[in-house]
Amino acid sequence: MFCITPKTSGMLRYMKEYEAHIAGAESNFAIGVSKMGHSAGWISRLGADEIGNFILNSIRAEGVDTSQVEFDEDYRTGLMVKQSKTNGETSVFYYRDGSAASHLEYLRLNREYLDRTRLVHLTGVTPVLNQECEGKIWDLFSIAEDKKILVSFDPNIRLKLWKGQDYSDMLRRMMGKASIVCLGEEEAEILLGTKDAKEVFGQLFSHTNVQYAALKQGRKGAYISNGSQMLKIPPFSCCCVDPIGAGDAFDAALVCGILENKPLEVCGRMAAIAGAMTTESYGDTEGVPSRRMMEEILKNERIVYR
């Protein structure tokens, strides 16, 4: 989506100056993976309008392959607006009904493109938009299963998008189909009825395809597990100005660590670092660390800025 962010904190009714950014859980993840040194592609639909081109150019500039993105002449690009209060609380207002991305029934999935894919990342944002979007996500699960591609899944619950409906059962089924699951405490409470890490992992690893899981706790850190080992990952020190996007960066860094066969503790540290650093910048992806920055932090090396 096209994201409009006010330059100062306060109620939007009093704001007069704004900045343009991009937003979206899946594109955030793809950018994070690219910044970590891996190849990434983003599959979606955009309106054939100027902000659609802005989004495409911005994502492509981060090294993400956008060859599978389709432009729609009939439906516009989605929009979201952020509101930041002085207490650090961020609100989001969506204007995406009828957007090009909500019409995924027209999206053509290139199975040959997915032949070169090691992992597909999906979230719970897209399937709650409408039945057609849900169907397309299940199609991707099916293709990934056929091609033996790993799937990472973040329920990424946005209750504003639920519009009074209950999508818990659908998201639980999608989590059970995934190889890697990342969810926050509030999402665990909604979907699994508990925020206790042992109970959450007990449910996720019971009779499902899950191989790795993370329970994100924000400023308290996270728990991660591979089914046989559970680790507490302490938070990485940061100065938060905008928390949105942190969870997507966490997911991206964790998945990169897993794909690189790093020890579970290192995967967790990478995730904590990426999530924390993302909160230090306005915008969903601007603060995601580069691979070089990540390696320097992991090695406890001092970063020279001037």
Side-chain angles (χ1 to χ4, degrees):
M1 291 169 292
F2 189 67
C3 179
I4 299 176
T5 304
K7 290 187 175 181
T8 57
S9 300
M11 302 293 287
L12 286 177
R13 68 190 69 177
Y14 301 115
M15 298 297 105
K16 294 181 174 61
E17 294 185 323
Y18 295 83
E19 294 180 341
H21 299 271
I22 60 171
E26 296 86 357
S27 57
N28 291 347
F29 179 91
I31 290 172
V33 167
S34 179
K35 284 192 169 186
M36 299 289 168
H38 288 258
S39 61
W42 181 61
I43 303 172
S44 191
R45 306 182 79 247
L46 295 168
D49 45 44
E50 288 303 306
I51 59 175
N53 280 280
F54 174 86
I55 291 171
L56 187 78
N57 292 343
S58 299
I59 294 174
R60 188 167 52 199
E62 295 288 3
V64 176
D65 178 64
T66 57
S67 63
Q68 302 304 301
V69 175
E70 299 176 355
F71 279 104
D72 193 313
E73 296 286 347
D74 298 318
Y75 300 101
R76 65 188 185 279
T77 303
L79 168 70
M80 66 176 279
V81 183
K82 287 184 181 180
Q83 173 179 269
S84 299
K85 296 183 180 179
T86 53
N87 63 0
E89 178 183 306
T90 300
S91 302
V92 174
F93 303 93
Y94 296 105
Y95 302 89
R96 61 189 303 169
D97 289 346
S99 68
S102 70
H103 285 278
L104 289 188
E105 67 268 25
Y106 301 122
L107 179 67
R108 296 177 294 275
L109 293 175
N110 186 341
R111 294 178 68 97
E112 292 182 1
Y113 182 78
L114 294 170
D115 286 340
R116 298 177 281 127
T117 302
R118 295 178 64 192
L119 178 138
V120 171
H121 180 70
L122 303 170
T123 80
V125 173
T126 304
V128 305
L129 297 179
N130 52 51
Q131 290 184 338
E132 290 75 20
C133 288
E134 178 189 349
K136 195 65 66 171
I137 297 303
W138 283 121
D139 287 345
L140 279 165
F141 269 109
S142 178
I143 293 172
E145 184 177 5
D146 290 343
K147 295 181 177 292
K148 295 181 170 52
I149 300 170
L150 294 174
V151 175
S152 61
F153 184 77
D154 187 332
N156 227 315
I157 292 176
R158 299 291 180 265
L159 292 178
K160 282 189 175 183
L161 297 178
W162 285 24
K163 299 178 180 178
Q165 300 296 312
D166 186 355
Y167 294 98
S168 299
D169 181 64
M170 176 186 71
L171 297 183
R172 280 191 292 268
R173 287 186 288 120
M174 288 184 174
M175 286 197 301
K177 285 280 189 181
S179 314
I180 303 168
V181 172
C182 301
L183 74 168
E185 282 187 310
E186 292 183 4
E187 293 163 337
E189 186 74 59
I190 292 171
L191 299 177
L192 304 175
T194 180
K195 295 189 289 187
D196 180 80
K198 288 185 179 179
E199 294 181 11
V200 169
F201 292 145
Q203 293 188 49
L204 288 177
F205 289 105
S206 296
H207 312 296
T208 68
N209 291 331
V210 179
Q211 300 171 28
Y212 294 90
L215 179 65
K216 297 177 280 189
Q217 300 177 303
R219 65 185 63 186
K220 296 183 294 182
Y223 282 95
I224 59 173
S225 177
N226 58 9
S228 59
Q229 183 183 17
M230 184 178 83
L231 299 176
K232 171 64 177 177
I233 304 299
F236 184 72
S237 179
C238 66
C239 181
C240 176
V241 298
D242 182 2
I244 296 180
D248 303 321
F250 181 105
D251 297 352
L254 179 70
V255 164
C256 287
I258 291 172
L259 292 176
E260 294 164 18
N261 296 313
K262 291 189 179 296
L264 190 63
E265 189 270 339
V266 176
C267 295
R269 284 186 62 202
M270 291 173 62
I273 292 166
M277 293 185 70
T278 301
T279 71
E280 295 186 318
S281 298
Y282 292 104
D284 290 13
T285 61
E286 285 82 344
V288 179
S290 66
R291 186 64 194 215
R292 179 183 175 186
M293 294 173 67
M294 177 66 72
E295 293 295 341
E296 288 173 338
I297 294 171
L298 288 173
K299 294 175 183 176
N300 294 316
E301 293 181 358
R302 183 172 178 271
I303 302 174
V304 178
Y305 290 108
R306 61 179 183 175

